[in-house]
């Protein structure tokens, strides 16, 4: 440490007066402020005391509009009075909007916080209250206990008119005090706090036992905030949520809503260890926060609600998405980046599917590999063993050690893998080097000859295959890949094979029984890679896809089918496989009567995407109409009939859509997905019944089965003209429950009539729509059809400045605008639209924090153009022949 008369602090947009250092004569001065780095230099006439100096500052600060920093959120109470809540959102660089600080995750400090508010309001922070003091002014000062060392982005302050429920959770160590767990909301949410409390008190002990370290703080509060940009924020001891992500009415909530609340509670609670106790060392290592939360949210949610089968949808909802983003040159980046993370915009773009979904998938792959090597051959029972945290779980033991070694400090990828390597006794740090410090992921190719499968790898990209090169001169070095496989004759995962060369040598040769009909690699979909097979192997897999439980031999399960469909479709998009492979597979799947949850969650959306892509072919002959007829006759109608055969009589919303209480969670989750597919492809029984149901229940919509209420709303608005639209708009304006309001608003985006659609677009800027919901409404309109996407694009470009203003006019606003641009542009396939994206960027550059959203927009338009060139003709030919 050197002698200095200066201090450099992060700060942004505040008036600072009266700067002084305790013990120094005379005030300090603000010597300069850099708007780009958001830093100021304070200078003093003399050298500052060592080793500690106490700095004092007076700040003039109002609650901000917008959704970051210390901002205001507004709500109307049941008695009609308007209330304002003061709340914070600091990750990543919002703390400097509230107070000057060293605003970097590695610079941890203890915090002593006091808040003076109007008497009667609730004041909350990370730590429990130690004292309150009524002032003669009529205000009250609340003092909070000193925090442990923590990063600035995790500090939270909330004040307002609030209500709560609480319970005590015993400490896992004897003699230690119980911890107070509370759920807070605005007073009108008083009836919707209990579900979250029940989930939280189950997740907390599950994580304490899994991670081997008790929760650090004496209390834990979770709170629903009426205006909130993201889904939630893991502030240590005071977790903030969008209202719909936390406060739920279990009587009237759908299964996806209930699952999502459990997920997101468990996600933020994982962060209390991975993120808050051990923080990523710098933002380039963000995956150490978000990858862990993405994986372990499944564990925590399962502890609270085992019947919801969270791990079963990991591949379909998490890994699959991560692979799509990681395959694009424009959006891929290494999990851990050493450089290029110093500007706000660059930091924010790390909150993507790579840090979350790829990060979580890599952890899952490693845990499955380590457990199976040791446990041996648990085959499909592995999924159950992954839930347990017994001492045999090498991966969990190494994580416990990593947490203990780095608590109250920071972690890095290097520290993590070194610890896992040491505990497992394997060269894991070397194996994970390519996965951690290089973008992208591999494509494994398999060839069956006689009773041997040979394997090789190249990098997979959406532009086509890359080159594998062990010398790292003309291509990418090989990844280390665990290759579990299954065949028709072995009902178990075989984990014996690993591929760490470009072309598998003797060690990576898979031996199967002579006469084996099919081989499936990446069995169970634990690995973060794609697999391509020879045409005969694909054909046998498509034939096997029709075989149900109860058939002879091993049956392809839902996860494996999801992987096959996803690989086949994405390979065809990248020009590396004929699209007919995907088409044959999905047609096979429609024969199966089981509710194959993962397979349909992954497999259904390409059917819609293909229709939309075919419709994008401007000025050319298109077979979009023929495609729609084909899907209806061969896929959507049969699958609805097959999957729901045991539960209903015929196709009817009241019968098929609502089902019965005895239906499995898989079927409950799948039913709306399949029926909205059927509705999209014009199954009139679905659309007509939806219109009727909405009309009949307009005065008591909560009487409609919550699992399908969203489906009924969207199908009714899509097919019911002005009458249904007006009912929905009325419901939206009068709804008080945020979840119900969200459903109503999402449905309004389904209007097909251009005038009604325009009404929805105009609501985006209307006061009746909160800023947090405005852009998802706009993106929701764009997804409906080509005409709708063009209408949404015009609305975005014509109202850019007003929208930006509505969102608060800050960095968070420009990020939200970037994401909306990207989402709408993904529905176009013409060079003229690329020009339009560039023109939009040029016109509004001053509002934007980064270019990447626009690069991604252009990339997806190019990908659509490429898809049409590669696949449109093939699809049309295949339709003509089938
Ligand atoms: Zn997170």
């Amino acid at each position: 440490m050197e002698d200095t008369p200066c201090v450099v602090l992060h700060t942004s947009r505040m008036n600072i007066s009266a700067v002084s250092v305790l013990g120094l004569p005379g005030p300090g001065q603000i010597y300069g402020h850099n708007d780009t780095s958001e830093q100021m230099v304070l200078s003093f006439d003399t050298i500052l005391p060592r080793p500690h100096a106490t700095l004092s500052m007076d700040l003039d600060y109002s609650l901000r509009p917008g959704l970051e920093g210390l901002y205001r959120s507004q709500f109307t109470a049941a008695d009609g009075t308007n209330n304002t809540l003061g709340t914070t959102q600091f990750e990543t660089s919002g703390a400097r909007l509230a107070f000057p600080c060293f605003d970097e995750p590695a610079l941890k400090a203890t915090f002593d916080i006091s808040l003076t508010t109007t008497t009667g309001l609730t004041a909350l922070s990370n730590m429990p209250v130690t004292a309150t003091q009524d002032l003669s002014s009529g205000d009250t000062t609340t003092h909070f206990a000193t925090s442990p060392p923590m990063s600035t982005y995790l500090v939270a302050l909330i004040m307002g008119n609030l209500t709560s429920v609480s319970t005590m959770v015993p400490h896992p160590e004897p003699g230690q005090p119980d911890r107070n767990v509370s759920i807070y909301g605005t007073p009108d949410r008083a009836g919707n706090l209990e579900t979250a409390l029940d989930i939280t008190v189950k997740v907390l002990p599950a994580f304490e036992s899994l991670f081997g370290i008790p929760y650090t703080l004496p209390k834990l509060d979770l709170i629903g905030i009426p205006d909130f940009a993201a889904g939630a924020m893991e502030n240590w001891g005071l977790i903030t949520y969008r209202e719909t992500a936390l406060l739920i009415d279990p009587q009237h909530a759908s299964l996806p809503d209930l699952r999502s609340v459990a997920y997101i509670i468990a996600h933020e609670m994982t962060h209390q260890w991975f993120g808050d106790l051990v923080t990523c060392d710098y933002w380039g290592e963000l995956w150490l926060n978000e990858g862990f939360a993405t994986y372990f949210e499944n564990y925590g949610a399962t502890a609270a609600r085992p019947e919801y089968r969270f791990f079963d949808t990991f591949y379909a909802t998490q890994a699959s998405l991560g692979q799509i983003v990681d395959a694009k040159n424009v959006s891929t980046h290494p999990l851990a980046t050493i450089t290029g993370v110093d500007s706000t915009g660059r930091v924010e773009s790390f909150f993507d599917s790579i840090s979350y979904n790829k990060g979580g998938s890599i952890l899952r792959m490693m845990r499955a590999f380590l457990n199976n090597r040791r446990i041996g051959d648990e085959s499909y029972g592995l999924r159950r063993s992954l839930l347990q945290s017994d001492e045999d779980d090498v991966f969990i033991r190494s994580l416990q050690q990593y947490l203990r070694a780095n608590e109250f400090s920071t972690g890095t990828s290097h520290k993590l893998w070194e610890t896992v390597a040491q505990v497992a006794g394997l060269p894991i740090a070397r194996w994970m080097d390519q996965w951690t410090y290089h973008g992208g992921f591999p494509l494994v190719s398999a060839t069956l000859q006689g009773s041997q499968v040979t394997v090789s790898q190249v990098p997979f990209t959406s532009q086509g295959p890359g080159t594998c090169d062990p010398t790292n001169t003309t291509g990418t070095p090989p990844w280390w890949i665990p290759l579990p496989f299954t065949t028709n004759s072995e009902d178990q995962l075989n984990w014996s094979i690993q591929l760490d060369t470009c072309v598998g040598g003797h060690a990576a040769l898979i031996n199967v029984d002579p006469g084996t009909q099919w081989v499936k690699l990446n069995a169970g979909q634990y690995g973060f890679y794609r697999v391509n097979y020879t045409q005969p192997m694909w054909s046998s897999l498509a034939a096997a896809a029709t075989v149900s439980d109860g058939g002879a031999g091993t049956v392809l399960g839902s996860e494996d089918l999801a992987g096959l469909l996803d690989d086949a479709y994405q390979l065809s998009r990248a020009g590396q496989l004929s699209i007919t492979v995907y088409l044959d597979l999905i047609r096979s799947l429609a024969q199966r009567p089981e509710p194959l949850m993962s397979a349909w969650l992954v497999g259904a959306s390409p059917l819609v995407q293909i229709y939309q892509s075919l419709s994008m072919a401007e000025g050319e002959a298109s077979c979009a109409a023929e495609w729609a007829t084909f899907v209806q006759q061969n896929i959507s109608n049969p699958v609805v009939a097959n999957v729901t055969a045991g539960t209903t009589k015929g196709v009817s919303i009241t019968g098929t859509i609502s089902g019965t209480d005895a239906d499995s969670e898989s079927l409950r989750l799948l039913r709306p997905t399949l029926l909205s597919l059927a509705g999209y492809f014009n199954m009139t029984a679905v659309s007509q019944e939806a219109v009727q149901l909405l009309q009949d229940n307009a005065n008591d919509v909560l009487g409609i089965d919550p699992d399908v209420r969203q489906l009924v709303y969207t199908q009714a608005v899509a097919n019911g003209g002005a009458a249904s639209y007006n009912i929905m708009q009325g419901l939206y304006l009068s709804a008080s429950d945020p979840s119900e309001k969200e459903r109503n608003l999402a449905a309004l985006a389904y209007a097909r009539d251009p005038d009604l659609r325009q009404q929805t677009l105009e609501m985006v800027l209307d006061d009746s729509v909160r800023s947090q919901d405005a852009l998802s409404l706009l993106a929701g309109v764009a997804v409906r059809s080509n005409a709708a996407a063009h209408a949404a694009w015009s609305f975005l470009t014509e109202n850019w400045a007003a929208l930006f203003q509505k969102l608060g006019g800050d960095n968070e606003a420009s990020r939200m605008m970037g994401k909306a641009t990207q989402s709408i542009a993904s529905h176009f396939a013409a060079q003229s639209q690329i020009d339009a994206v560039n023109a939009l960027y040029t016109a509004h550059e001053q509002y934007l924090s980064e270019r990447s959203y626009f690069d991604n927009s252009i990339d997806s338009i190019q990908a659509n153009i490429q898809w049409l060139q590669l696949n449109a003709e093939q699809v049309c030919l295949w339709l003509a022949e089938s």
Side-chain angles (χ1 to χ4, degrees):
M1 191 190 280
E2 288 174 22
D3 284 342
T4 176
C6 296
V7 186
V8 180
L9 287 165
H10 283 105
T11 180
S12 180
R13 308 188 207 190
M14 64 180 65
N15 295 321
I16 299 171
S17 56
V19 179
S20 63
V21 165
L22 202 70
L24 282 192
Q29 286 162 7
I30 299 174
Y31 185 73
H33 187 274
N34 181 327
D35 285 341
T36 309
S37 68
E38 300 181 325
Q39 284 173 316
M40 69 171 175
V41 181
L42 296 179
S43 75
F44 297 87
D45 292 339
T46 55
I47 300 296
L48 298 173
R50 294 174 54 175
H52 301 292
T54 304
L55 191 61
S56 164
M57 273 176 269
D58 287 355
L59 316 172
D60 178 11
Y61 186 90
S62 302
L63 287 181
R64 299 167 45 77
L67 301 167
E68 68 175 341
L70 176 53
Y71 70 92
R72 61 173 178 251
S73 173
Q74 281 158 322
F75 65 96
T76 307
D79 63 3
T81 55
N82 291 321
N83 284 253
T84 299
L85 204 69
T87 185
T88 51
Q89 171 58 38
F90 287 169
E91 191 179 25
T92 53
S93 53
R96 68 191 69 169
L97 287 160
F99 50 86
C101 53
F102 302 113
D103 202 8
E104 294 290 343
L107 300 179
K108 295 197 174 189
T110 61
F111 287 82
D112 291 277
I113 292 173
S114 300
L115 268 177
T116 300
T117 62
T118 307
T119 300
L121 295 184
T122 302
L124 299 170
S125 185
N126 308 81
M127 297 298 289
V129 174
T130 50
T132 56
Q133 203 179 341
D134 289 333
L135 308 178
S136 55
S137 60
D139 293 338
T140 299
T141 299
T142 306
H143 302 279
F144 300 95
T146 304
S147 78
M150 60 188 274
S151 308
T152 43
Y153 80 90
L154 294 168
V155 173
L157 312 167
I158 295 172
M159 64 220 88
N161 183 5
L162 296 166
T163 186
S164 66
V165 293
S166 299
T167 192
M168 299 304 283
V169 175
H171 198 284
E173 290 169 356
Q176 297 292 323
D178 296 354
R179 286 76 49 83
N180 191 325
V181 173
S182 306
I183 310 295
Y184 281 88
T186 57
D188 46 325
R189 300 269 71 82
N192 296 348
L193 305 173
E194 291 290 346
T195 301
L197 186 65
D198 178 63
I199 293 170
T200 307
V201 301
K202 288 176 172 145
V203 176
L204 189 66
F207 278 158
E208 292 186 312
S209 136
L210 183 74
F211 300 144
I213 296 182
Y215 171 67
T216 316
L217 305 185
K219 64 97 178 171
L220 175 63
D221 298 330
L222 287 71
I223 178 168
I225 305 286
D227 298 280
F228 199 82
M233 175 63 212
E234 68 265 24
N235 316 300
W236 213 356
L238 178 51
I239 310 176
T240 43
Y241 292 81
R242 182 177 277 240
E243 283 185 318
T244 51
L246 182 74
L247 309 179
I248 198 161
D249 174 359
Q251 296 272 291
H252 298 296
S254 67
L255 181 57
D257 290 344
L258 291 162
R259 275 180 120 235
S260 131
V261 165
Y263 264 129
I264 198 159
I265 287 176
H267 179 102
E268 305 309 325
M269 287 180 67
T270 308
H271 279 313
Q272 305 301 299
W273 285 262
F274 291 95
D276 299 1
L277 182 62
V278 178
T279 309
C280 61
D281 194 46
Y282 51 98
W283 294 116
E285 293 266 24
L286 177 68
W287 86 277
L288 292 173
N289 291 6
E290 298 304 344
F292 278 102
T294 302
Y295 178 62
F296 285 112
E297 70 184 25
N298 294 278
Y299 183 93
T302 304
R305 296 285 187 268
E307 67 277 20
Y308 292 170
R309 305 178 57 172
F310 293 95
F311 278 110
D312 286 7
T313 49
F314 187 92
Y315 178 76
T317 58
Q318 312 273 20
S320 161
L321 191 61
Q323 292 193 350
I324 289 170
V325 175
D326 200 24
K328 293 181 183 174
N329 292 334
V330 68
S331 51
T332 183
H333 62 79
L335 272 181
T337 313
I338 311 288
T339 55
V341 287
D342 49 356
S343 80
T344 303
R346 186 83 180 98
V347 169
E348 288 300 330
S349 70
F350 271 61
F351 287 80
D352 63 4
S353 279
I354 294 180
S355 301
Y356 284 73
N357 306 60
K358 183 181 184 180
S361 303
I362 297 301
L363 298 171
R364 177 167 175 260
M365 176 168 78
M366 181 52 76
R367 187 176 182 209
F369 167 76
L370 287 175
N371 283 352
N372 240 280
R373 266 176 57 85
R374 252 189 30 72
I375 294 167
D377 138 54
E378 290 280 350
S379 75
Y380 287 102
L382 173 68
R383 217 176 298 133
R384 280 188 294 282
S385 75
L386 282 183
L387 273 178
Q388 290 157 8
S389 63
D390 52 62
E391 288 182 8
D392 294 340
D393 194 324
V394 177
F395 186 65
I396 296 301
R397 254 198 296 137
S398 63
L399 293 188
Q400 292 177 348
Q401 194 165 313
Y402 165 82
L403 283 170
R404 241 175 273 121
N406 300 293
E407 59 184 357
F408 304 110
S409 180
T410 59
T412 61
S413 304
H414 179 76
K415 286 184 193 172
L416 171 71
W417 295 132
E418 285 294 340
T419 311
V420 182
Q422 188 207 329
V423 174
L426 290 166
I428 284 168
R430 177 164 62 76
W431 288 347
M432 296 315 285
D433 186 273
Q434 179 76 4
W435 288 108
T436 309
Y437 300 107
H438 300 265
F441 62 94
L443 167 68
V444 172
S445 294
T447 308
L448 173 65
Q449 275 176 323
S451 58
Q452 285 192 325
V453 181
T454 50
V455 286
S456 60
Q457 65 165 302
V458 292
F460 176 79
T461 82
S462 60
Q463 302 293 306
T467 310
C468 183
D469 172 21
T471 65
N472 199 12
T473 46
T474 57
T476 309
W479 280 265
W480 165 82
I481 306 170
L483 274 185
F485 66 94
T486 179
T487 73
N488 59 293
S489 56
E490 282 186 80
D491 187 14
Q492 58 183 27
L493 302 198
N494 185 321
W495 282 85
S496 60
I497 307 295
Q498 299 158 49
L499 176 66
D500 61 358
T501 51
C502 294
V503 181
H506 185 70
L509 210 54
I510 300 172
N511 291 302
V512 295
D513 293 343
T516 290
Q517 288 159 11
W518 55 263
V519 182
K520 164 71 175 59
L521 268 63
N522 196 9
Q525 294 299 124
Y526 294 102
F528 194 80
Y529 54 89
R530 296 202 183 281
V531 183
N532 199 357
Y533 303 91
T534 57
Q535 191 58 49
M537 292 175 85
W538 277 117
S539 298
S540 335
L541 287 163
T546 59
V547 180
S548 294
D549 288 336
T554 310
V555 169
L556 280 165
S558 190
E559 277 77 25
D560 283 329
L561 287 164
L564 289 170
L565 285 162
D566 204 23
D567 287 352
Y569 182 64
Q570 294 302 335
L571 281 162
S572 78
R573 281 192 71 90
Q576 300 182 57
L577 186 68
S578 165
I579 190 157
T580 58
V581 172
Y582 162 79
L583 298 176
D584 288 337
L585 273 169
I586 192 95
R587 191 154 62 164
S588 298
L589 206 64
Q591 318 289 315
R592 297 271 291 261
E594 314 99 293
L596 298 164
M597 187 165 59
S598 289
W600 283 105
L601 289 180
V602 168
S605 56
L607 298 169
V608 173
Q609 271 177 33
I610 291 172
Y611 176 78
Q612 291 184 335
S613 298
L614 290 170
S615 314
M616 286 178 204
E618 288 178 1
E620 291 163 37
S622 159
C623 57
E626 290 83 353
W627 171 253
T629 308
F630 167 81
V631 174
Q632 186 194 46
Q633 290 176 354
N634 295 280
I635 301 173
S636 57
N637 287 9
V639 73
V640 166
N642 286 336
V643 171
T644 56
T647 63
T648 72
K649 311 167 226 72
V651 177
S652 106
I653 291 193
T654 42
T656 309
I657 294 190
S658 294
T660 65
D661 290 343
D663 287 342
S664 68
E665 264 74 18
S666 297
L667 185 56
R668 285 181 63 196
L669 270 178
L670 199 50
R671 185 181 287 114
T673 304
L674 293 182
L675 289 172
S676 57
L677 181 74
Y680 189 89
F681 287 105
N682 305 316
M683 187 188 249
T684 44
V686 173
S687 47
Q688 285 172 0
E689 185 137 9
V691 172
Q692 196 63 47
L693 264 177
L694 179 65
Q695 230 164 58
D696 294 350
N697 293 278
N699 295 321
D700 180 26
V701 281
L702 296 185
I704 303 172
D705 181 337
D707 279 351
V708 294
R709 202 179 303 133
Q710 180 79 74
L711 171 79
V712 169
Y713 288 175
T714 56
Q715 292 297 317
V717 171
N719 301 293
S724 291
Y725 186 91
N726 292 337
I727 293 174
M728 195 52 57
Q729 205 171 36
L731 288 170
Y732 172 72
L733 293 172
S734 62
S736 59
D737 176 59
S739 303
E740 188 61 15
K741 222 173 169 61
E742 195 175 83
R743 276 192 276 273
N744 301 142
L745 192 61
L748 289 172
Y750 278 66
R752 286 188 189 168
D753 175 82
D755 292 337
L756 296 175
R757 184 166 66 216
Q758 196 56 33
Q759 274 192 49
T760 303
L761 286 173
E762 272 151 28
M763 288 177 72
V764 170
L765 278 171
D766 192 85
D767 285 346
S768 65
V769 173
R770 284 183 187 273
S771 60
Q772 65 170 11
D773 301 321
L775 293 184
S776 51
L777 180 60
L778 186 59
V781 169
V783 94
R784 304 320 323 152
S785 67
N786 262 20
H790 283 281
W793 181 262
S794 300
F795 188 87
L796 175 77
T797 52
E798 286 160 20
N799 298 287
W800 185 280
L803 272 166
F804 186 68
Q805 214 45 50
K806 171 161 182 163
L807 299 174
D810 52 16
N811 286 343
E812 186 62 40
S814 77
R815 289 191 285 272
M816 290 195 273
M817 296 292 283
K819 280 181 194 162
T821 305
Q822 196 178 318
S823 159
I824 300 172
S826 70
H827 304 295
F828 299 129
Q831 178 60 42
S832 58
Q833 290 296 332
I834 295 180
D835 301 340
V837 170
N838 279 320
L840 184 67
Y841 182 76
T842 311
H844 300 297
E845 210 167 345
Q846 78 271 24
Y847 297 119
L848 300 166
S849 61
E850 63 182 309
R851 166 87 209 174
S852 68
Y853 298 114
F854 288 80
D855 293 336
N856 273 298
S857 304
I858 291 168
D859 184 77
S860 50
I861 300 174
Q862 281 165 343
N864 291 336
I865 295 174
Q866 174 184 300
W867 189 91
L868 284 171
Q869 286 164 353
L870 289 171
N871 294 303
E873 207 179 314
Q874 275 193 68
V875 172
C876 298
L877 264 177
W878 189 83
L879 284 173
E881 285 165 8
S882 48

